Amino acid sequence: MKSNFMIEDNMLTNISVEDIGNDHLFTSLETPMVANAFSKSDTEKKEIIAFHFTEIMKALDLDLTDDSLKGTPERVAKMYIEEIFSGLNPKNKPKMALFENKYQYNQMLVEKNITFYSNCEHHFVPIFGKAHVAYISSGKVIGLSKLNRIVQYYAKRPQVQERLTMQIAEDLKIALETEDVAVIIDAKHLCVSSRGVQDESSSTVTTSFNGAFNTPQKINELLQLINN
């Protein structure tokens, strides 16, 4: 799926790498991946990550012969591939089977307070919070757990919150065969609270209101349901 949401090259001409990292800009709806992504096996990727993480630890003057540290590169590699960045691999995408809306329920369905953990693509430190997902059936429905799983799938990759919000919404619109989808994410960023400005109290809210949800009446109705 190609996106029309792109930052034009000339807009980035006078922006440094440091500015992009600190201001959390992003360049496309799609997660940036190389052309030959997934040509390596998971085992090969783990070996490469473990090797390079060993070098990082050495650069930090850590003693890798210590019993507590000597297995860390392999643990980090396994965590990256099998857990926190598993959403990079399409084979891990949850199946989204549709079912007939036999009850003829035609109001909004809201799955709120979906807990997720992601990682900032600029500093590789955690983003965590709650996602709220809503849709109005066009005649088909999916299992409730699939809403949670699609949030987790896109969260488990290096992310910026704006992209995460839009990726969830766009995928659900396709899967549910409707434009009537809304996504709200409220999250804390450790790149804000544990470094940089070190603001522990703030959180970031992003939204994607589509179709019938893109009206003041439906937005207010949705917010009331979420906040109750």
Side-chain angles (χ1 to χ4, degrees):
M1 178 179 63
K2 296 295 182 184
S3 168
N4 292 325
F5 188 88
M6 301 288 290
I7 295 178
E8 299 294 337
D9 289 342
N10 61 357
M11 292 176 64
L12 294 176
T13 302
N14 297 318
I15 302 178
S16 70
V17 170
E18 289 77 11
D19 289 334
I20 291 174
N22 288 327
D23 289 339
H24 292 201
L25 300 178
F26 69 111
T27 54
S28 72
L29 177 58
E30 297 179 8
T31 301
M33 302 287 289
V34 297
N36 64 339
F38 318 114
S39 61
K40 301 183 190 72
S41 69
D42 284 355
T43 299
E44 289 174 308
K45 290 179 180 180
K46 289 177 190 175
E47 290 173 352
I48 294 169
I49 292 169
F51 171 80
H52 288 290
F53 204 81
T54 297
E55 296 304 305
I56 291 172
M57 293 179 70
K58 287 179 179 177
L60 293 171
D61 294 326
L62 293 169
D63 181 4
L64 271 77
T65 66
D66 184 89
D67 287 342
S68 181
L69 295 179
K70 62 185 179 183
T72 296
E74 289 74 22
R75 285 190 290 266
V76 170
K78 181 179 180 180
M79 176 183 68
Y80 276 9
I81 297 301
E82 296 184 8
E83 298 177 76
I84 65 175
F85 297 135
S86 60
L88 288 171
N89 196 329
K91 75 178 184 181
N92 295 321
K93 186 174 182 179
K95 299 294 187 293
M96 300 284 281
L98 287 177
F99 303 94
E100 293 292 332
N101 183 8
K102 294 183 179 180
Y103 295 107
Q104 299 300 307
Y105 181 75
N106 60 3
Q107 302 299 310
M108 69 171 70
L109 182 149
V110 183
E111 186 79 356
K112 67 179 186 177
N113 295 325
I114 301 171
T115 301
F116 74 90
Y117 291 87
S118 189
N119 278 267
C120 166
E121 70 180 36
H122 299 120
H123 296 97
F124 273 47
V125 293
I127 302 169
F128 59 94
K130 304 286 186 181
H132 314 288
V133 177
Y135 75 94
I136 300 172
S137 172
S138 62
K140 300 290 180 70
V141 296
I142 58 174
L144 291 179
S145 67
K146 297 302 186 204
L147 298 175
N148 300 62
R149 292 183 187 280
I150 204 67
V151 170
Q152 304 299 345
Y153 172 70
Y154 283 107
K156 290 181 178 179
R157 54 178 68 183
Q159 276 289 16
V160 292
Q161 189 172 323
E162 297 93 329
R163 181 194 292 131
L164 174 60
T165 306
M166 295 168 67
Q167 285 179 332
I168 294 168
E170 291 301 313
D171 206 0
L172 286 175
K173 286 195 289 184
I174 293 171
L176 291 163
E177 300 176 1
T178 178
E179 288 291 313
D180 302 334
V181 170
V183 178
I184 301 173
I185 292 180
D186 186 351
K188 296 184 74 68
H189 296 239
L190 288 195
C191 56
V192 173
S193 61
S194 68
R195 59 161 302 281
V197 72
Q198 297 185 340
D199 183 346
E200 297 182 2
S201 61
S202 65
S203 66
T204 301
V205 178
T206 48
T207 64
S208 179
F209 298 123
N210 306 274
F213 285 101
N214 201 18
T215 65
Q217 179 182 353
K218 281 296 182 186
I219 291 172
N220 288 335
E221 183 182 348
L222 175 58
L223 292 177
Q224 286 177 7
L225 289 172
I226 290 173
N227 293 325
N228 284 339

